[in-house]
Structures are given as structure tokens and as C-alpha cells.
Amino acid sequence: MNEKELIPKDKFDLDAVARLLPAVPEQVAAIACPLLEWIADANWLVTDMLLRVLPKYYKELMPEIEDILTNGDDVILKNQIVGKLLPQFPEGSLVPVLPVICKLANMVADSEDDEELKESAVNLLGQYHDKQEI
């Protein structure tokens, strides 16, 4: 199957998300950026389904996630990643992005969106540290 068939064409394209389930990791790695962009809007139908499927491919997504969190400008996408996607990943997989999450948790918020991102980062760090203490 062509990787492009795994990327939703619109916010209602649940068939594309369903095709992700049997996809091989290399296919997902090749389209990580466009897949992650589809989780930016929590109101889209595909977002909820993608948030259920994407954790399966946490290894393939992590390089793109790290790049988005470090270099990206889309605060809403970052918040979706930090608040909704990363909490579903195995805690050991978060080690590469912990420094970035710490920076986000300590940032000075300039807007409501920044404040929500900061809060998501604080919550994620709290969950991570709670799991480490068990």
C-alpha cells in the first residue's frame, strides 16, 4: 500500500486512519509529519481515531515529534502532542523529549494557547515522575 493512502484526505477520512492499523513501521515513519499534523484540531473526526492508533508507532513518530516540539511554531499541535499523544507512549520512550518538555513547562506563557501548552507539559512531567517513583 502506498503511504499516501494512509494520510487522511479530510477531517472525515476515517478509512485512511483504519488503513494505518496494519501499516508497517517504515510506512508510518515516512509520513510521520503529515500524520501528526492531523491531530492538531481536536474537533476533527480523524483526530480522536489517530490518537488511538498513533501510539502503536511511537518509535517511528518520536524523531518528528522531537522536531515539532523543538522547532515548530504550531502551539496547538504541540499541545495536542504533549497533552494527548505523549501520555499514551511508554514512559521510557519519552526520555529524548524530556528536556524539551521541561522547557515548555517552564516557559513564560504569552497567550492562552501557550498557557495550555505549559499546563500540558507540567502535567506530563508529573505523570512521568509519578511512574518513575512507583
Side-chain angles (χ1 to χ4, degrees), residues 42-66:
N43 295 314
W44 292 342
L45 208 50
V46 296
T47 300
D48 187 53
M49 197 166 166
L50 276 170
L51 287 170
R52 294 179 199 179
V53 174
L54 291 179
K56 173 181 175 180
Y57 301 102
Y58 68 92
K59 290 178 187 174
E60 292 72 32
L61 296 174
M62 194 54 79
E64 190 62 37
I65 287 171
E66 199 169 352

Side-chain angles (χ1 to χ4, degrees), residues 75 78 100-119 121-122:
V75 177
K78 288 181 181 185
V100 179
I101 302 299
C102 287
K103 285 181 185 177
L104 294 172
N106 292 307
M107 74 175 173
V108 175
D110 294 331
S111 68
E112 187 176 322
D113 290 337
D114 284 348
E115 189 60 44
E116 288 177 15
L117 175 57
K118 180 177 180 167
E119 185 178 321
V122 168

Side-chain angles (χ1 to χ4, degrees), residues 91 126-134:
E91 68 250 17
Q127 291 171 9
Y128 180 79
H129 290 297
D130 288 346
K131 289 179 183 178
Q132 296 302 306
E133 292 174 6
I134 296 175

Side-chain angles (χ1 to χ4, degrees), residues 6-22:
L6 304 173
I7 302 169
K9 291 172 184 41
D10 58 52
K11 61 186 178 181
F12 304 106
D13 191 0
L14 299 178
D15 291 336
V17 181
R19 287 190 293 270
L20 272 174
L21 288 168

